[in-house]
Amino acid sequence: MSSNDLPIVVAALYQFVTLDDFETLREPLLNEMKRRDVKGTLLLAVEGINGTVSGTRADIDALLGWLKRDSRFAALEHKESYCEAHPFYRTKVKLKREIVTLGVDGVDPNRRVGTYVEPEQWNDLIDDPEVLVIDTRNDYEVAIGSFEGAVDPKTKSFRELPEYVKTHYDPTRHKKVAMFCTGGIRCEKASSFMLDEGFEEVFHLKGGILSYLEKVPEAQTRWRGDCFVFDNRVTVRHDLSEGEFEQCHACRMPISTEDQDSERYSPGISCPHCWDSLPEKTRASARERQKQIDLAKARNEPHPLGRDPRAASAGR
């Protein structure tokens, strides 16, 4: 069975579009998701919509059709991957100040953004030695995989990227900048910020890494490693099938099979990344959460893994 034949569709979607009435959209959108048994989280703000959801082919198509009946969402795009079961446990629609949190006043992708680059043309762009290629994702994502030669800003959250750019780069010297992220939203907003800072030629990967992995043959790829995703699959491979990484429920870092074989790994409680750094209060909370997960598994019930504070701020 190919990944495309798996029963659950995972749709990552976003659109920067002015929604002056975004608060009133929450309840009808949530009701439609629940009616269709679509799980996951969608964010609404004045600047647009963002999120990842899962459901059967029919339910995802129905939700997308419902959204696009609003003319403001007519151009809504999404990226798909597939899995055996829902990678989410809950259905949520949240109201936010930003659909991806950069934290810089005045940055408005609805006003202007950088130049979109189709995945099929991305290799030619980043092979240009005059192009500065920046991975706009966070350190734990970059550690799993990235494009050859890309700069890792080593940020803990998207909010840290503006200061990194201001500290390390100069519009008078860095004439061409190419940016990328998981699904396209972070690099689109970052490109708007870069233009406001005076950078003249700013490019970003249309549809993000997920679109690149879908459209560029593996034999031609400049991608190395897996791609971190914000659901229970943790990572996907180049063919968008589920990767082998798990996630530490204590520190939320992706953990490899080698990490899981370490004596410093205790399921749900610690891993080689956090075994000696977590406060005791956090560790006690992790122990209690793991106890609840084990009990839920024993009863064959859904077992929420706890809120990942980074997912809401990182975007896609």
Side-chain angles (χ1 to χ4, degrees):
M1 177 185 291
S2 71
S3 61
N4 295 44
D5 295 324
L6 294 173
I8 296 298
V9 179
V10 183
L13 60 91
Y14 82 92
Q15 184 180 354
F16 284 108
V17 57
T18 302
L19 302 174
D20 292 323
D21 61 343
F22 73 98
E23 296 98 335
T24 66
L25 294 175
R26 180 185 178 276
E27 187 172 352
L29 176 55
L30 181 62
N31 290 340
E32 181 67 13
M33 290 172 67
K34 289 181 175 179
R35 188 170 77 87
R36 294 290 181 178
D37 193 31
V38 172
K39 299 186 184 300
T41 300
L42 292 177
L43 308 180
L44 293 171
V46 169
E47 67 180 10
I49 186 171
N50 175 34
T52 305
V53 293
S54 64
T56 64
R57 173 83 275 163
D59 287 335
I60 291 296
D61 287 347
L63 177 64
L64 293 172
W66 184 88
L67 283 167
K68 291 181 179 182
R69 286 200 291 272
D70 184 327
S71 60
R72 294 171 298 181
F73 296 129
L76 180 69
E77 294 188 8
H78 72 287
K79 297 296 172 285
E80 293 184 353
S81 53
Y82 308 88
C83 56
E84 286 279 5
H86 278 290
F88 305 107
Y89 296 118
R90 298 184 177 94
T91 301
K92 298 180 181 179
V93 178
K94 297 181 178 181
L95 303 180
K96 295 288 185 177
R97 185 173 180 271
E98 301 177 74
I99 56 173
V100 57
T101 305
L102 187 64
V104 178
D105 291 338
V107 175
D108 184 5
N110 288 310
R111 177 172 53 88
R112 66 170 178 169
V113 294
T115 302
Y116 295 97
V117 180
E118 296 289 344
E120 295 86 348
Q121 280 74 58
W122 183 249
N123 287 353
D124 290 339
L125 176 65
I126 66 174
D127 285 348
D128 183 342
E130 294 185 359
V131 174
L132 170 67
V133 184
I134 303 177
D135 192 330
T136 65
R137 302 172 305 149
N138 300 325
D139 54 1
Y140 61 94
E141 300 170 80
V142 181
I144 299 303
S146 191
F147 283 107
E148 291 178 351
V151 172
D152 174 11
K154 301 187 184 303
T155 53
K156 301 294 183 184
S157 76
F158 191 45
R159 281 179 173 270
E160 296 179 6
L161 187 67
E163 186 58 34
Y164 175 86
V165 169
K166 291 177 181 179
T167 301
H168 291 82
Y169 303 118
D170 182 349
T172 63
R173 292 190 299 113
H174 302 97
K175 300 293 188 180
K176 296 181 180 180
V177 181
M179 315 178 86
F180 65 91
C181 59
T182 308
I185 185 171
R186 274 179 283 183
C187 53
E188 184 165 345
K189 193 160 191 178
S191 76
S192 182
F193 163 75
M194 295 287 276
L195 290 171
D196 287 350
E197 289 295 302
F199 292 87
E200 295 179 3
E201 293 188 76
V202 183
F203 305 89
H204 51 107
L205 177 58
K206 187 176 182 181
I209 299 161
L210 295 178
S211 184
Y212 180 91
L213 299 182
E214 176 187 358
K215 296 178 180 179
V216 175
E218 192 164 1
Q220 301 172 16
T221 191
R222 301 293 191 277
W223 179 260
R224 297 293 180 263
D226 280 11
C227 178
F228 184 90
V229 291
F230 292 89
D231 58 56
N232 293 341
R233 294 171 300 169
V234 185
T235 67
V236 294
R237 302 183 179 92
H238 197 287
D239 64 358
L240 297 179
S241 63
E242 185 173 345
E244 295 182 355
F245 285 82
E246 297 292 336
Q247 193 168 34
C248 176
H249 301 156
C251 70
R252 313 307 297 176
M253 284 291 291
I255 47 177
S256 66
T257 52
E258 291 181 357
D259 291 331
Q260 294 170 61
D261 290 336
S262 169
E263 62 182 13
R264 295 171 176 173
Y265 174 63
S266 179
I269 299 172
S270 66
C271 74
H273 301 288
C274 69
W275 70 279
D276 62 346
S277 61
L278 284 180
E280 182 52 37
K281 181 178 179 181
T282 302
R283 200 177 301 281
S285 177
R287 291 193 191 99
E288 179 59 28
R289 181 171 60 240
Q290 187 60 37
K291 177 182 176 181
Q292 296 305 316
I293 290 172
D294 291 340
L295 290 172
K297 284 183 176 180
R299 295 191 293 263
N300 197 30
E301 296 175 351
H303 46 89
L305 301 183
R307 178 179 181 270
D308 182 352
R310 300 176 315 190
S313 62
R316 310 291 186 271

